[in-house]
């Protein structure tokens, strides 16, 4: 008995399938299959492609033992319904529950956001137009409120909404990321500001 035949047996065991059933289902020659399984006749790479395709294992593994046994199948991305709020309201969020309790909000379906609680809003102004031109839609995570230097965040600044990058050296400031030189940093020399959430995605229609 060969290692190749051992792998073929392993593939059948994993598939929970008897050789007689496989031969009948897919029109295989049972005597040839039996010889391949007991190792009296080695099977070719072409046969490994045939067996592997039906038994859901890689032909390379079946033929010469090259790992992995199966191709990695990426799980489908999770879909999340994200509420869309106004720009003004975005700066007034202190808890995601304030948004989730409003059933009539517009909602969009987004994939691959990862863990968190997400809210979307449409950008006003050109202070972040290098990544989010005016009118684009940003999605931010209201559970991520500990700012990291260089990160993109929605802030509440004296009750008003602003979207900037955060830096803390040499002084705390909110930096625009803009093609317009008139947009200047906001220096955080006093209280009255808070992080609403970290921006994780920027969306814009191209039509």
């Amino acid at each position: 008995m060969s290692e190749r035949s051992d792998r073929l047996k392993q593939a059948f065991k994993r598939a929970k399938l008897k050789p007689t059933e496989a031969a009948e289902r897919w029109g295989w020659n049972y005597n040839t299959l039996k010889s391949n399984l007991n190792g009296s006749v080695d099977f070719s790479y072409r046969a490994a492609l045939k067996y592997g395709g039906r038994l859901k294992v890689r032909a390379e593994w079946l033929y010469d033992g090259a790992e992995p046994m199966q191709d990695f199948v990426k799980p489908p991305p999770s879909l999340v319904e994200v509420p869309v709020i106004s720009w003004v309201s975005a700066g007034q969020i202190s808890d995601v529950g304030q948004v989730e309790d409003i059933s009539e909000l517009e909602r969009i379906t987004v994939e691959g956001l990862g863990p968190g609680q997400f809210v979307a809003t449409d950008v006003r102004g050109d202070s972040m137009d290098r990544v989010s031109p005016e009118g684009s839609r940003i999605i931010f995570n209201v559970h991520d409120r500990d700012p990291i230097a260089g990160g993109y965040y929605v802030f509440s600044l004296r009750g008003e909404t602003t979207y900037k990058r955060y830096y803390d050296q040499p002084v705390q400031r909110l930096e625009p990321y803009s093609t317009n030189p008139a947009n200047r940093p906001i220096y955080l020399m006093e209280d009255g500001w808070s992080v609403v959430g970290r921006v994780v995605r920027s969306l814009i229609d191209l039509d």
Side-chain angles (χ1 to χ4, degrees), residues 34-96:
K34 184 179 178 181
S35 297
N36 292 162
L37 281 165
N38 64 29
S40 60
V41 176
D42 255 345
F43 54 86
S44 65
Y45 182 72
R46 184 175 179 179
L49 286 169
K50 176 182 70 175
Y51 292 148
R54 294 298 190 181
L55 300 174
K56 307 302 182 187
V57 296
R58 293 175 64 249
E60 292 80 4
W61 173 82
L62 201 56
Y63 186 71
D64 61 15
E67 296 290 348
M69 175 193 254
Q70 294 176 277
D71 285 319
F72 174 74
V73 178
K74 187 177 180 180
S78 57
L79 298 177
V80 178
E81 277 200 345
V82 177
V84 181
I85 62 174
S86 72
W87 182 252
V88 173
S89 298
Q92 299 172 354
I93 297 175
S94 60
D95 187 274
V96 72

Side-chain angles (χ1 to χ4, degrees), residues 110-127:
V110 185
E111 68 178 27
L113 290 178
Q117 290 286 344
F118 300 93
V119 180
T121 192
D122 295 332
V123 173
R124 288 187 187 176
D126 63 359
S127 68

Side-chain angles (χ1 to χ4, degrees), residues 86-92 121 154-157 159-163 196:
S86 72
W87 182 252
V88 173
S89 298
Q92 299 172 354
T121 192
V154 173
F155 296 90
S156 176
L157 186 64
E160 295 187 0
T161 307
T162 188
Y163 165 37
V196 178

Side-chain angles (χ1 to χ4, degrees), residues 24 32 37 51 56 59 64 80 90 122-124 126 131 139 151 175 177 191 193 203-204:
E24 183 177 349
T32 300
L37 281 165
Y51 292 148
K56 307 302 182 187
D64 61 15
V80 178
D122 295 332
V123 173
R124 288 187 187 176
D126 63 359
V131 289
I139 299 173
E175 283 271 5
Y177 193 44
D191 294 333
W193 70 278
L203 311 170
I204 187 168

